[in-house]
Every structure is written in C-alpha cells, then in structure tokens.
Amino acid sequence: LKFPGAVVPAIRDSAALNEPFSVVLDRLEAEGKLRPNSWLRTWLDALAFSLSGLDCSGTTTAAMAFTVDELHRSDTRGLAYPLGGMGVVIDALVEAVERHGGTVRTGVRVNELMLEGSRATGLRFGPQSDELRAAEAVVCNASIWDSASLLPAQAPAGAAGAVEELREDWGQTPMTRSYIHLHVGLDAAGLDLAALEPHYTSMAAWDDVTAEQNMVAISNPALLDPSLCPEGKLILHMYGAGNEPFGIWSDADAAGRPAYERLKEERARRLWEAL
C-alpha cells in the first residue's frame, strides 16, 4: 500500500464519502453549525455545480472534500493545472500502462462487452468484432449512456433479466445540460499579471446557481505555467459549465450552417460579458 495514511481513512469513511454533500450540510444545519439558507451553502452549491453539473444534492462528498482541500493549497493559488498542458496527463497514464507491460491502442471502436454470467470478461472491437479477453477485469470509462449501448444484445443464460434491468437503468439516467466554450488569446502587454488569478467564476445571479447560462468559469492557466503560450501573451478558456441546453444547438444544426453561426454569436455573448 503506497499511501496508507490517505487510503485507510478513505476506506473507513467510504459510505459517508459516497453520500451527496447535501447530507453533510443538512447535518451541520441541524447541529446549528451552519445557518440555514446561508450564502455559504449557496456558494457550495455553485462549487458543486462547477464540478458535476449538479448542486450539492447530486455531488458526492468525496468530490467536494477533494476540491475544497485543493482550493486552499497555497502552492497552487487555489487551483492546480498540469505543467505542460492537459496532454501531459495522458502521456503519464500511457507511460504507466506501458511500464507495467500493457499496450495502449487508440482509434479502435469497441462494439460490445463480453459477459459470463453477470461479470464482464472482455470486449469485442473493430470491424471484424475481434475479441479481447481480460486477464483480471474490464474497466469501462465510457459515459453511463454509452455503456448501456455496449451491453450485449444476447445476454448469457441466467443473466438476461439483470442485464436488461441494467441497460434500462443506465439508459434512463437523466443527462446534465451541455457546455459552451470560448478560447481566447490575448496580448498581455500592459497587463499587471501579478494582479490576475489563474481561475475566476462569473455568476449572473445567486438565486439559482444551476440556471441556464448563469455560471461561467474562466481559466487562465498560463499564469501558473508560462510555457503554454508565447511570452507576453495570455490564453483564456471560458465555458458555461453544464448550463447550456443542447436542444437549441441540434435544432440550429438541422436548420443549416447560417442558423448555427447566428446561434453561436448569440449564445457566446454571455461568455464575452464574463470576460
């Protein structure tokens, strides 16, 4: 065990860590340690929404505990970014897999999970539905809706009912709303970079933190890692976090490119205002 000091308490508190964070806040309110309907609770709902697209009632205590801890680390100025950009995280994961004798294959379409009873034992992939059997376990990082489509159409004997129940449960899981992004490169000449922060959150209102186009996150990662852009420049990433309805975009896409471009200009206005 590499990090017993962190893992043992997590195992001990695993039930509580998997609960919605709202359970913790409700308990604090009942004990008189948190004022009901306080701004602090609203802010925590906003933080939860920025993590998961859901308020504290739909965000785990584990996610909130990790994030609040990270926000108060002095060495990251409140938020950590990987030095060298997000690609270095992928490179590190690939290196770890290969160092332990694994192979990483990209551009391969997975068609179906293979089951024996109720246990996943491998997968079928590629145009010929080649089979790959797991030595120990299958780890699936697809979304819950995509995972539902990977369950086999013909379930093993004795597991058909359970597989269909799982497929229905996963497929009917409500989706969060979508995201809208704006990437901007700025000439930083004349800007006091010491006065800037690596991350901002812009709120249009506090009465409903989950409201459409209310919250906008602004990332300024070059403040922590200047190698991400040329000297004297800044790169900013603004996005509406899980508060953009997808239906209007699919309708505009069906209406043709001019309609899509008009909608893009209209919906991006909130991001520019946040900047």
Side-chain angles (χ1 to χ4, degrees):
L1 192 59
K2 193 171 183 181
F3 302 106
V7 173
V8 172
I11 294 173
R12 182 193 63 212
D13 299 328
S14 59
L17 289 170
N18 282 310
E19 287 182 333
F21 192 59
S22 58
V23 173
V24 176
L25 300 181
D26 290 343
R27 184 165 60 247
L28 291 174
E29 287 184 352
E31 294 171 353
K33 296 177 180 178
L34 178 67
R35 183 166 56 83
N37 303 314
S38 65
W39 184 85
L40 176 58
R41 179 150 189 170
T42 301
W43 180 82
L44 288 167
D45 272 328
L47 180 63
F49 186 72
S50 71
L51 296 174
S52 67
L54 301 166
D55 62 18
C56 287
S57 65
T59 305
T60 65
T61 296
M64 292 295 288
F66 175 86
T67 304
V68 171
D69 175 67
E70 185 178 71
L71 288 173
H72 291 85
R73 291 183 181 179
S74 59
D75 58 334
T76 64
R77 293 184 64 179
L79 204 67
Y81 287 91
L83 295 177
M86 292 303 297
V88 301
V89 177
I90 299 170
D91 293 340
L93 291 171
V94 171
E95 191 276 330
V97 170
E98 293 178 341
R99 185 173 68 250
H100 290 281
T103 302
V104 176
R105 299 180 61 176
T106 59
V108 177
R109 184 179 184 86
V110 175
N111 303 324
E112 188 178 69
L113 293 171
M114 297 164 56
L115 302 181
E116 291 181 7
S118 60
R119 179 178 174 82
T121 57
L123 51 87
R124 295 184 177 90
F125 66 95
Q128 305 301 319
S129 282
D130 297 326
E131 294 186 358
L132 178 65
R133 291 195 169 270
E136 185 173 341
V138 176
V139 178
C140 182
N141 195 37
S143 74
I144 197 168
W145 307 278
D146 291 316
S147 298
S149 68
L150 294 176
L151 292 171
Q154 299 296 323
V163 170
E164 284 309 309
E165 183 179 343
L166 198 60
R167 193 196 317 276
E168 183 177 352
D169 179 56
W170 288 357
Q172 292 182 354
T173 301
M175 290 187 178
T176 62
R177 286 165 293 179
S178 192
Y179 284 61
I180 181 170
H181 299 263
L182 177 65
H183 297 268
V184 177
L186 294 179
D187 186 346
L191 291 179
D192 181 6
L193 299 184
L196 297 179
E197 296 293 339
H199 190 85
Y200 295 88
T201 301
S202 168
M203 302 291 295
W206 285 99
D207 54 340
D208 180 5
V209 298
T210 69
E212 184 177 312
Q213 287 212 323
N214 184 7
M215 176 188 292
V216 174
I218 306 174
S219 293
N220 181 21
L223 216 60
L224 297 175
D225 183 6
S227 71
L228 296 178
C229 58
E231 186 176 355
K233 309 295 181 184
L234 277 182
I235 52 170
L236 298 176
H237 173 210
M238 285 141 292
Y239 56 97
N243 55 19
E244 182 69 10
F246 183 73
I248 59 174
W249 291 93
S250 56
D251 291 345
D253 189 45
R257 195 67 193 177
Y260 190 90
E261 292 294 334
R262 285 194 301 270
L263 182 65
K264 188 163 67 171
E265 289 293 324
E266 173 191 332
R267 301 299 290 185
R269 192 173 301 125
R270 168 72 181 108
L271 303 181
W272 287 111
E273 290 171 352
L275 173 61

